[in-house]
Amino acid sequence: MSERTSEITVAFLTALVIGLASGSVSAQQNSERADQDALEMDVVTVVAYRQPRALSEVAGTVTVIGPERIERDLALDLPGLVRYEPGVEVDGGGTRFGFGGFRIRGVGGNRTALLVDDVPAANRFSVGNFADSGRGLLELGLVERVEILRGPASTIYGSKALGGVVALSLIDADDLLFGTDHATRVGLSGASDSDRLRATAATAVRSGPWSGLLAASVLHGSETDVADRPTGTPLDRLDREQQAALVRLTRDTPLGPVRMTFDAVREERDADLRALLGTGRFRNTTSLLGDDRNQRIRLLLDQQLAPSTIADRGQWRAWYQVSDTRQDTRESRPLASNPVDLFRRFDFREDTRGFGIDLEKDLDLFDRAHRLGYGLELQESELRQRRDGLQTSLADGTTTDVVLGEDFPLRDFPITEVVEFGAYVYDEIRLWNGGPMLSPGVRFEYYELDSRSDPLYADAFPDTPLTDLDTTAWAPRLGLVWPLADGLEGFAQYARGFRSPPFSDVNIGLDIPMFNIRAVPNPNLDPERGHTLEAGLRYRSRALRAELAVFRNRYEDFISTRAFVGVDPSTGTLLFQSINRERVRIEGAELRARGNLPGPFALDVAAEWLRGEDRETGRSLPEVGPPQAVVALDYDPDPRWRVRLAATLTRDQRRLVDEDGEALFSAPGSTVIDLLGQWMPSADLSISLGLFNLTDECYWNHANVIGRQPDDPVLPLLAEPGTSVRAMVDWSF
């Protein structure tokens, strides 16, 4: 799509929303209830400032997904959670590994902050085909609310929020009690796309100043039943079990409620990978089995603060979190010239402890109303990784710890400690009564990476010096929200984000002589910097809600992980290294609208257009997805039941090439139609049923196939499910 075409598209969408909003405002000019209608339709969000805010006061784009929408969309997992959110995707882990992180406006991985109860999730680290830690475990059955903040949010959230923020809130006692002293919620859900079945239960009690919650979730699933799988493509088998538990204990105090939380998630995944057998480097392999065990344990102490002389609102939190991954791979190669069985083990552990506090004070200065916010966060993490291997001869049973030229055990990076400290301040200034709100803010961030001398790493890479790193950065932001009419406001913001070089890029060491490749560290990496300009309009009334945003993100020193940098002239080894890209640009537009139609009908429209480009080479960024739109028709004739027909339309992916100019897989366009229904025979019972992909369309989620070659044998298995059924039952008593 040319720049001229994109400008025309943005102009058209802008005119459309202005026209709809203006028409609605004109129709309600004589209505005494216009202000009240707009107020009732306003949504409260927390993620933008870490404090409660009406969405109409936020200079940015935020999506709030509550329990009603989770039930409506039958969101059993994270991809289902954002199924109808153009511009937000979930990175997959192929047919073996799990959740890899959220991708917002084309920026994903460790560049997007993921928070659970305001605690940052674990980092992701992956090596080749046999090791991928993911971004920590999340069980959606215990999630009550999700907020998505699009675009750089480093002013409030620091280095890891270069692409945006996804904030999940787990269920709390107040979500069940509603003024009673005891309540219980149970749920059962399932899906035919991968034979998933999940059971959840939560019970809450209150006694005087104390309240408590006990919740648990158990999930079983298998491999995805993709649409239109080629006859000659074998199916990768997967058995998956996940258990999650949550305990909360809260006491009301004069200074505000104090809450202690313990939660744990454990997942077991057994994979039988068949699609790769007999192809490429696996041409002599007849069996490839994966046995993966992941767990996360977290202890959190937090408090919502009562008003005081220093703050009208606020909270603090202290946490300790452990994320532990062990992945075993067994490979049999009886057809090789030297028949062997290979065993590989990958261990990755991240221990994190931290403290944060966020405060806000209402002030009246110089005849202007101010909301002054300030806070800080300190986090210390220790990261350990190790790989082991064993090769067994099928001829005589002898064993060796040298596998395909790698001498095990080894580490791909040294034991690393990371300290992150950030302090921020912002002010929201009402320029005049009923006028615009100006919100300047700035954050100071300190990042220190300390590498320990470690025999395993030193023995594997004796010629590689260790690199320690410390960086500082300032992240300013300036936002403006301008009320234009009842329920209508314009907003704009400039934000500067940053991302410090991560441990896996600074000190990575990877040497596989069998395949003549080596990854070398880069001690000279610079922090990534991002600059965002965003503007938009929002309108809300009883008849119509609409939002339009246009944005341009410019990134400097963008880190390209393990890029090909040349050939070692002395050995002919292919060299890979994480390097800074000078300039990357991502721009786009987003439109969301919901309007009431005659009778019990309503129409939802959400559309997103993105374009990403490496400004050095002119190459389209493979990480940026194709334009997409979601159109949904709701039929709601009775409070007890409703029906929703949704169509997701995705354009062909633009032609993609890698850094060497070789073609990458570009997914074809698709139209996917879903039919969802919900029946509430009583106030305490909800039954939801959905038929997904009614036409059995073969299509791909863009985030699952980034960087894949067109002839990748696993590609057919990464397609989305064909026609499938999902059901969800929730009962409270």
Side-chain angles (χ1 to χ4, degrees), residues 269-584:
R269 304 172 73 97
D270 294 321
D272 182 357
L273 307 174
R274 304 177 179 184
L276 288 172
L277 303 182
T279 67
R281 56 181 292 192
F282 299 100
R283 61 185 177 275
N284 295 318
T285 300
T286 60
S287 176
L288 188 62
L289 305 176
D291 181 4
D292 306 334
R293 302 291 183 266
N294 302 348
Q295 65 180 10
R296 177 184 59 79
I297 299 174
R298 184 184 62 156
L299 182 64
L300 168 66
L301 186 67
D302 62 354
Q303 181 179 23
Q304 293 289 328
L305 296 171
S308 65
T309 55
I310 63 170
D312 295 301
R313 290 163 296 279
Q315 63 276 330
W316 61 265
R317 60 202 171 276
W319 69 89
Y320 175 69
Q321 179 174 268
V322 178
S323 179
D324 205 346
T325 300
R326 167 164 288 186
Q327 295 168 342
D328 292 342
T329 304
R330 289 175 170 82
E331 179 182 356
S332 183
R333 309 183 73 184
L335 304 181
S337 56
N338 177 26
V340 292
D341 280 344
L342 307 179
F343 170 80
R344 300 177 179 87
R345 169 166 289 175
F346 168 76
D347 288 297
F348 181 80
R349 180 184 173 102
E350 181 173 348
D351 290 75
T352 303
R353 57 197 62 85
F355 174 83
I357 186 169
D358 306 285
L359 303 171
E360 191 172 70
K361 182 71 174 176
D362 296 331
L363 300 171
D364 192 0
L365 300 174
F366 308 108
D367 296 324
R368 300 287 185 272
H370 296 250
R371 279 190 298 206
L372 181 67
Y374 53 102
L376 60 86
E377 189 169 77
L378 174 65
Q379 176 173 289
E380 181 181 1
S381 303
E382 182 184 80
L383 302 113
R384 292 172 175 262
Q385 178 264 351
R386 171 177 170 143
R387 285 193 294 130
D388 287 283
L390 186 68
Q391 179 173 301
T392 302
S393 171
L394 295 179
D396 55 19
T398 57
T399 62
T400 175
D401 55 11
V402 178
V403 179
L404 300 182
E406 288 188 288
D407 193 355
F408 291 104
L410 57 80
R411 301 191 197 277
D412 297 299
F413 63 87
I415 297 172
T416 302
E417 290 186 354
V418 175
V419 176
E420 298 167 273
F421 171 79
Y424 69 88
V425 61
Y426 64 80
D427 191 9
E428 292 178 278
I429 310 165
R430 181 69 69 180
L431 297 183
W432 60 82
N433 188 29
M437 179 86 78
L438 188 68
S439 53
V442 67
R443 180 187 183 97
F444 169 77
E445 184 95 354
Y446 172 76
Y447 177 88
E448 179 182 311
L449 185 150
D450 183 19
S451 303
R452 288 193 209 163
S453 178
D454 175 60
L456 277 184
Y457 184 79
D459 291 345
F461 308 103
D463 299 326
T464 302
L466 295 182
T467 297
D468 293 335
L469 183 71
D470 62 87
T471 61
T472 59
W474 293 90
R477 176 186 177 274
L478 181 63
L480 179 69
V481 179
W482 198 309
L484 302 175
D486 291 334
L488 175 68
E489 67 268 353
F491 64 90
Q493 70 161 326
Y494 164 78
R496 189 168 77 191
F498 67 95
R499 177 179 178 249
S500 300
F503 62 94
S504 57
D505 290 306
V506 175
N507 277 318
I508 187 69
L510 182 66
D511 190 0
I512 307 180
M514 179 70 71
F515 300 107
N516 202 33
I517 61 174
R518 179 186 302 158
V520 295
N522 186 350
N524 300 315
L525 278 176
D526 292 322
E528 297 176 330
R529 292 168 292 164
H531 305 265
T532 288
L533 285 172
E534 181 178 6
L537 291 168
R538 280 191 298 259
Y539 175 72
R540 67 206 167 277
S541 70
R542 287 190 180 275
L544 174 68
R545 284 179 294 171
E547 180 180 46
L548 170 72
V550 293
F551 55 88
R552 171 172 287 186
N553 299 336
R554 178 171 55 87
Y555 300 98
E556 300 171 0
D557 295 324
F558 205 72
I559 296 175
S560 181
T561 298
R562 291 171 228 162
F564 176 68
V565 293
V567 178
D568 186 333
S570 61
T571 63
T573 301
L574 304 179
L575 299 178
F576 295 83
Q577 186 181 51
S578 297
I579 60 175
N580 289 112
R581 298 290 181 190
E582 285 295 326
R583 293 180 299 161
V584 169

Side-chain angles (χ1 to χ4, degrees), residues 618-642:
R619 182 176 67 99
S620 293
L621 296 180
E623 295 84 359
V624 174
Q628 188 177 76
V630 176
V631 181
L633 180 65
D634 287 345
Y635 178 63
D636 194 357
D638 188 282
R640 293 175 299 177
W641 65 278
R642 65 193 63 170

